[in-house]
Amino acid sequence: MGNSGMIYQYTTESTETQAAVLVMKIKHYLITTMGRVLEEADTEEFYRALCYALREQILINWQATARSWQKKDARMVFYLSLEYLPGRFLNNNLTNLKNIQVVQLVLKKTGRTLPDILSHEYDPGLGNGGLGRLASCFLDSLATLKMPARGYGLRYQYGLFEQQLLDGVQIEKPDMWLLNENPWEFRRDQRMIITKFCGNPVKRLNEIGDEVYDLSDPEAVWAIPYDIPIIGYSEAPDFAVVTLRLWSTKESPRNFLLQRYNAGRLDQAAENTTLTDVLYPTDIHDVGKRVRLKQEFLMVSASVQDILRYYLTTHTNLDEFHDKVRIQINDTHPAMIIAELMRVLTNYYSMPWKKAWEVTQECTSYTNHTILSEALEQWDQSLYRYLLPRQYKIIERINLDFCTSVRRQFPGDEERVRKMSILENSMVRMANLAIVGSHKINGVAALHSEILKKSTFKEFYESFPDKFTNVTNGVTHRRWLLTCNPELAAFITERIGNKWVTHFQEISKLASFASDEQSQKTFLEIKRKDKQRLLDALNRDWRSHDASGKQVSPDISLDASALFDVQAKRVHEYKRQLLNAIRLIMKYHEIQDNPNQPYVKRLVLFAGKAASSYETAKTIIRLIHCIAKKINRDPIVSQYLNVHYIENYNVSHAEIIIPAADLSEQISTAGMEASGTGNMKFAMNGALTIGTEDGANIEMRENVTDAWWPFKFGCSAQEIADMKAARSYNAWEIYSTNPKIKRAIDSLRDRSLITQEVEHQSLSSLYYTLLEGSWGSTPDRYFVLKDLVSYCETQQKVDDLYATPMKWAEYAIHNIAGMGNFSTDRSIQEYCDNIWSLQACDIDPEIFDTVYRAYIESTPSSLL
């Protein structure tokens, strides 16, 4: 085995021997870090000691990975995202380390169970929905593919929020994920960074005589990094480890302004210590807007300084910076890195403006995740100028140069200049800045990328067609299948081998077993067990709350034989939880009117958070709660239909919900969902999709083929666009001419669904949103009623197919087999090939031996 032989000594020992060593390490950490012996330790203490013991192997590879990349001077991608949603680390790390059997044996020896241990790890509160989960999947795939990379984000003390539903009313509480020590993070005080806000810009000339700006009397904020190792999967022990570096202002006492505190200005005194308290602070007031902008710049400024520091550890000048550094902007939140990188290059390194601009563009690329105008960030110019005066001046110059170039390309077309300008209508348009300053812009599904080119960024595409490309999203199938659904994973491996774990395209071989009767029966039995596991969690662990906050059992009377119909995603009008809810009202009426029909039993589950200031989304949650109470307490209807809203949806919940789903609701208004990733997770776990032709649904259907994709419905994106352009859609006409729809919509305000007056007021607002519009918007602007008939007809097809279980299983197995293209391993390889030009970089055996030898020499022989 040559110089790298040491790497195999620990991992090739028998499971029994490895378990014995691991028990010794756990005992060691219990006594040396917590002052406890094994017999006295509670489950939380045991969990931490286990993590400490497992970290040893991770830390060796982490060090070896970083040193190998530096030695080879590899090009590196720095991924900036305001959100990550990694989920619990322990279970995923056990999968990637291939240590599950060893740990199971340890737990058996010590009288513990893995579910009990896992329950003591909180989901990291670092993200909200698909954006953050995608970023975490990307880091997993980067590590697995051994691509030199580092992620940057913020360490939110209280996350987004913990969602509680008190009788259907969403209440936001702090997410206390850091209540106990997090054994997977490492505080790096020596890497602290100072960022500067406000102050007065002072003009000076740099070394080459170019005009730059310093800052007098700035407001300095200290950012302390916390590093989390992200472990790649490998069949061999030479797994790579990527660093996720999260910046925090909470832990630095320098950020607390004592003089302002003593002057009675408590809010001002603590503002900078709270910059990393909460993800997406409410921005309906000036303080929220200011803190949001500060958050984004904090991440950008600290990360730029850290990137340069990393680069300069192996270089004496910036001559190769353009070749060695790639920066990926994940949505518009980090877009100001373009202005900040320009400022740093020209100010501190005296790089000529033209060259600095070429370097910035060559290094930077931008992923767009939405076409929603409210999600394409814009900042008030006066706020931007006040908080970031130097960066604002940089943007002014970038915009002047850019608008001049547009005028040269399109003389006399001032409307085009206005649309493309970064500064317009007293706002700083961050998407425009990201496009202008990047060498590549990608959408995240084929349809989404076409909409960007033909509509959202049409003028930019006409000027820079080569900049635009597509990289369809994926998910890490190792977490979302191998880890969260081990029985289904074993089912797949028994039939096609285990190559699919690292080469997911191999999953297509499963199609040859779709018509096999025994495979169908086995699949259905696995699904039944997953459904029962979810029911157990709902009844035992995931209780609901009544109006007083008391925990209550869910009103679920159906068993695992029912069809499990799931819509689990962030609550937004375009995602159309309202469409699902109105159909449920219609189904309730149908069963009431015809109680003796042979209905297919169905449990409909909702999960997802509404933004704290998004009142319509919160009202939709309340409507679903009212519908659930009505249906679940009806002695006739509840025999066939149950509805439940799961509180505080997170990754750990998803790992139980998704394997149990029979039907995946992907029903967004066509043309509005950029891609979706939940759709992929559900499908690869054997759920059939009822969906519009939106986002990645289209590519999923194409890969599964129409023959096995039976539940497509609704208007196409082009039909929606045509109705908008012609203003031809009339929701009132549908309402007034369809008695079943009219009856369902009327129930929103006829008090038939409510038990208290405040519910009547909430539900009535949805009635007016659908038929009259609200806040100046057009009625039913997300085309709920337009697609409702098609949706209901397709739901009947769902019932018909579910009534033939073996046929349903055949469809489900074909859907799993069609998911090979939707792994983030494929997505990341496309980024590496087409955007970053990044090459894999293995751990250097000599470097590994050096690190491993240092570990051996410093560790007592009894713990080796």
Side-chain angles (χ1 to χ4, degrees):
M1 294 180 186
N3 292 333
S4 61
M6 286 188 179
I7 196 170
Y8 297 99
Q9 289 184 7
Y10 179 80
T11 55
T12 57
E13 293 170 339
S14 70
T15 300
E16 186 74 33
T17 302
Q18 291 183 57
V21 173
L22 190 54
V23 170
M24 291 295 293
K25 290 184 178 184
I26 291 168
K27 290 179 177 179
H28 171 76
Y29 282 113
L30 280 170
I31 194 69
T32 58
T33 65
M34 290 165 252
R36 305 284 281 176
V37 296
L38 181 62
E39 293 73 22
E40 298 174 347
D42 63 26
T43 310
E44 196 277 328
E45 291 166 334
F46 188 94
Y47 156 75
R48 280 193 283 144
L50 172 62
C51 293
Y52 293 153
L54 293 171
R55 282 187 345 187
E56 293 185 6
Q57 188 178 355
I58 295 167
L59 287 166
I60 293 167
N61 285 56
W62 198 4
Q63 275 286 308
T65 301
R67 293 184 182 197
S68 297
W69 292 348
Q70 284 197 319
K71 177 184 176 181
K72 295 178 182 178
D73 196 18
R75 173 179 288 182
M76 192 162 181
V77 63
F78 299 91
Y79 193 87
L80 272 70
S81 179
L82 206 60
E83 286 190 45
Y84 293 91
L85 207 59
R88 292 170 174 164
F89 288 107
L90 176 57
N91 208 24
N92 196 63
N93 288 349
L94 290 176
T95 297
N96 286 3
L97 291 171
K98 303 185 73 177
N99 262 353
I100 290 179
Q101 288 185 331
V102 175
V103 170
Q104 291 279 22
L105 183 55
V106 167
L107 296 175
K108 182 179 180 181
K109 287 175 177 287
T110 56
R112 318 269 176 166
T113 67
L114 187 56
D116 285 343
I117 298 298
L118 293 175
S119 70
H120 284 272
E121 181 173 357
Y122 293 92
D123 278 52
L126 301 172
N128 178 23
L131 182 73
R133 186 54 234 165
L134 177 75
S136 294
C137 285
F138 276 2
L139 294 186
D140 180 283
S141 288
L142 283 163
T144 298
L145 297 176
K146 299 181 179 177
M147 297 294 180
R150 176 179 293 177
Y152 286 110
L154 297 180
R155 180 180 181 264
Y156 303 106
Q157 190 76 17
Y158 304 113
L160 179 72
F161 57 80
E162 176 189 327
Q163 180 196 52
Q164 286 191 2
L165 300 179
L166 305 188
D167 200 26
V169 178
Q170 176 177 289
I171 303 296
E172 299 90 26
K173 295 195 171 185
D175 181 353
M176 306 298 287
W177 73 283
L178 288 172
L179 188 63
N180 297 324
E181 179 188 355
N182 177 9
W184 299 110
E185 68 178 9
F186 296 79
R187 176 169 167 159
R188 309 291 197 192
D189 287 70
Q190 73 277 15
R191 299 296 184 190
M192 180 190 69
I193 296 286
I194 298 175
T195 61
K196 296 178 180 179
F197 298 94
C198 304
N200 301 304
V202 178
K203 187 188 302 184
R204 70 170 175 87
L205 300 180
N206 64 15
E207 293 179 2
I208 60 172
D210 285 351
E211 185 179 284
V212 295
Y213 289 88
D214 293 327
L215 204 59
S216 66
D217 301 318
E219 186 178 296
V221 176
W222 277 254
I224 296 175
Y226 286 75
D227 289 354
I228 297 175
I230 307 299
I231 303 163
Y233 182 93
S234 177
E235 292 293 334
D238 62 340
F239 60 88
V241 182
V242 164
T243 299
L244 172 57
R245 177 158 289 179
L246 304 173
W247 303 103
S248 172
T249 62
K250 192 70 177 176
E251 301 297 327
S252 176
R254 295 174 182 268
N255 293 331
F256 184 73
L257 305 179
L258 185 59
Q259 289 183 331
R260 295 187 187 181
Y261 179 86
N262 289 336
R265 297 184 301 206
L266 274 64
D267 56 337
Q268 295 179 21
E271 182 174 297
N272 288 335
T273 69
T274 65
L275 291 185
T276 55
D277 271 9
V278 176
L279 169 64
Y280 300 140
T282 300
D283 59 355
I284 58 175
H285 45 68
D286 290 341
V287 173
K289 290 183 175 70
R290 184 172 70 243
V291 171
R292 273 208 187 192
L293 184 56
K294 277 187 163 184
Q295 275 188 342
E296 293 184 7
F297 181 70
L298 174 82
M299 178 180 70
V300 160
S301 176
S303 301
V304 164
Q305 293 179 63
D306 200 59
I307 291 167
L308 280 156
R309 180 167 57 191
Y310 176 86
Y311 169 84
L312 291 171
T313 58
T314 53
H315 299 82
T316 58
N317 56 52
L318 297 184
D319 290 351
E320 293 185 86
F321 186 84
H322 70 285
D323 183 54
K324 299 299 181 182
V325 170
R326 290 294 176 266
I327 298 170
Q328 187 67 32
I329 300 171
N330 192 33
D331 221 356
T332 55
H333 310 120
M336 66 180 79
I337 198 170
I338 291 163
E340 179 65 355
L341 183 57
M342 283 293 294
R343 187 193 68 79
V344 170
L345 293 177
T346 56
N347 196 319
Y348 300 132
Y349 298 96
S350 295
M351 189 177 288
W353 177 270
K354 185 175 183 294
K355 182 179 179 182
W357 184 241
E358 291 171 353
V359 168
T360 297
Q361 284 188 311
E362 188 170 353
C363 290
T364 308
S365 47
Y366 160 53
T367 300
N368 173 276
H369 287 276
T370 183
I371 64 167
L372 296 177
S373 58
E374 63 266 29
L376 296 172
E377 282 190 308
Q378 300 187 62
W379 292 105
D380 182 85
Q381 288 184 27
S382 60
L383 175 64
Y384 208 102
R385 190 186 299 113
Y386 167 71
L387 285 178
L388 305 168
R390 294 180 297 176
Q391 291 72 22
Y392 184 78
K393 287 185 176 295
I394 294 285
I395 290 174
E396 283 186 315
R397 183 168 176 183
I398 291 172
N399 193 55
L400 177 63
D401 290 350
F402 175 66
C403 289
T404 299
S405 70
V406 174
R407 289 187 175 100
R408 281 198 299 267
Q409 188 179 6
F410 300 95
D413 194 347
E414 286 303 306
E415 179 61 18
R416 179 182 295 270
V417 175
R418 186 191 65 78
K419 290 180 179 179
M420 299 175 74
S421 176
I422 300 166
L423 303 174
E424 184 65 27
N425 293 329
S426 301
M427 304 298 286
V428 183
R429 302 196 286 199
M430 304 309 291
N432 291 21
L433 175 63
I435 294 169
V436 172
S438 297
H439 76 279
K440 284 290 184 182
I441 299 95
N442 73 281
V444 290
L447 174 63
H448 172 232
S449 294
E450 287 304 304
I451 291 172
L452 294 183
K453 291 189 290 187
K454 294 178 180 178
S455 178
T456 311
F457 301 135
K458 176 176 179 287
E459 291 75 19
F460 286 102
Y461 177 67
E462 290 171 349
S463 290
F464 317 112
D466 293 340
K467 277 193 177 189
F468 286 80
T469 188
N470 175 67
V471 181
T472 298
N473 282 344
V475 301
T476 175
H477 58 282
R478 286 171 291 276
R479 179 166 209 133
W480 292 108
L481 180 50
L482 181 63
T483 301
C484 78
N485 203 341
E487 286 204 42
L488 182 59
F491 167 88
I492 294 167
T493 300
E494 286 170 8
R495 285 156 178 80
I496 66 172
N498 68 352
K499 193 176 178 182
W500 65 272
V501 177
T502 51
H503 299 83
F504 198 49
Q505 287 84 356
E506 291 286 310
I507 201 74
S508 63
K509 294 179 180 178
L510 191 65
S512 62
F513 296 90
S515 59
D516 175 58
E517 184 175 336
Q518 186 55 51
S519 293
Q520 293 169 0
K521 289 179 179 178
T522 304
F523 170 80
L524 291 171
E525 177 58 21
I526 292 169
K527 181 64 73 172
R528 187 198 64 77
K529 290 179 182 178
D530 288 334
K531 290 158 77 170
Q532 188 58 54
R533 181 172 65 136
L534 174 55
L535 287 174
D536 292 343
L538 289 169
N539 287 298
R540 182 185 63 241
D541 303 318
W542 303 349
R543 298 293 186 89
S544 303
H545 292 84
D546 63 18
S548 68
K550 179 183 176 182
Q551 286 193 330
V552 294
S553 297
D555 291 324
I556 297 175
S557 58
L558 298 178
D559 61 21
S561 65
L563 187 156
F564 279 30
D565 175 346
V566 181
Q567 187 172 14
K569 55 183 72 250
R570 179 170 57 92
V571 183
H572 196 289
E573 288 169 274
Y574 87 82
K575 294 179 183 288
R576 298 204 295 191
Q577 286 88 354
L578 185 56
L579 174 63
N580 195 346
I582 293 171
R583 190 199 77 85
L584 288 173
I585 298 172
M586 295 172 69
K587 193 67 178 179
Y588 169 68
H589 291 155
E590 180 187 347
I591 298 173
Q592 271 194 325
D593 294 345
N594 304 281
N596 297 319
Q597 295 299 313
Y599 297 105
V600 169
K601 294 180 180 180
R602 186 185 293 221
L603 171 59
V604 180
L605 296 170
F606 293 85
K609 298 177 181 180
S612 57
S613 59
Y614 193 174
E615 292 302 327
T616 301
K618 287 183 170 182
T619 302
I620 291 171
I621 294 176
R622 192 164 201 171
L623 168 64
I624 293 166
H625 181 75
C626 290
I627 294 169
K629 285 194 296 184
K630 196 73 175 177
I631 288 174
N632 297 344
R633 296 174 186 179
D634 187 296
I636 302 299
V637 178
S638 63
Q639 295 178 45
Y640 306 102
L641 182 63
N642 287 177
V643 180
H644 182 66
Y645 203 109
I646 299 170
E647 289 184 6
N648 202 41
Y649 184 58
N650 57 25
V651 174
S652 294
H653 285 165
E655 289 172 338
I656 295 175
I657 295 168
I658 289 173
D662 293 306
L663 186 68
S664 166
E665 299 270 355
Q666 308 298 331
I667 59 177
S668 54
T669 309
M672 302 296 287
E673 184 73 81
S675 168
T677 51
N679 46 4
M680 303 166 189
K681 297 165 194 168
F682 280 103
M684 65 178 57
N685 278 275
L688 300 187
T689 302
I690 181 167
T692 51
E693 288 286 273
D694 197 22
N697 289 356
I698 298 171
E699 290 156 83
M700 289 170 61
R701 174 181 56 76
E702 291 169 348
N703 279 265
V704 172
T705 73
D706 287 324
W708 303 108
W709 190 268
F711 305 138
K712 179 181 75 171
F713 78 95
C715 295
S716 68
Q718 187 59 55
E719 289 169 332
I720 295 287
D722 290 345
M723 283 186 283
K724 286 180 178 179
R727 298 185 179 183
S728 59
Y729 174 50
N730 188 335
W732 184 270
E733 182 179 347
I734 295 172
Y735 162 79
S736 59
T737 58
N738 188 312
K740 293 181 180 179
I741 292 177
K742 185 177 187 301
R743 182 182 177 189
I745 300 302
D746 284 347
S747 71
L748 297 176
R749 65 169 186 170
D750 67 9
R751 301 178 184 272
S752 62
L753 297 174
I754 67 158
T755 57
Q756 50 188 316
E757 181 60 29
V758 68
E759 291 174 339
H760 172 64
Q761 296 172 8
S762 292
L763 271 55
S764 294
S765 70
L766 295 176
Y767 173 93
Y768 294 115
T769 296
L770 288 170
L771 296 180
E772 299 180 11
S774 59
W775 303 100
S777 66
T778 57
D780 191 17
R781 60 180 178 147
Y782 295 102
F783 299 84
V784 171
L785 301 188
K786 179 65 179 177
D787 280 346
L788 183 54
V789 171
S790 174
Y791 181 54
C792 291
E793 291 172 349
T794 307
Q795 287 284 11
Q796 184 57 53
K797 294 179 183 178
V798 172
D799 285 347
D800 294 343
L801 185 59
Y802 193 75
T804 56
M806 301 295 277
K807 194 66 178 175
W808 182 280
E810 184 178 9
Y811 274 81
I813 294 170
H814 272 294
N815 272 253
I816 298 170
M819 289 298 106
N821 204 42
F822 299 99
S823 166
T824 44
D825 290 356
R826 187 269 313 153
S827 301
I828 285 298
Q829 193 61 60
E830 289 185 11
Y831 276 98
C832 291
D833 292 344
N834 303 328
I835 296 178
W836 304 327
S837 298
L838 203 64
Q839 300 294 321
C841 185
D842 291 333
I843 292 177
D844 185 289
E846 291 184 4
I847 289 176
F848 180 86
D849 275 354
T850 300
V851 176
Y852 190 79
R853 195 170 290 111
Y855 166 73
I856 293 289
E857 292 170 354
S858 63
T859 305
S861 59
S862 62
L863 299 178
L864 294 173

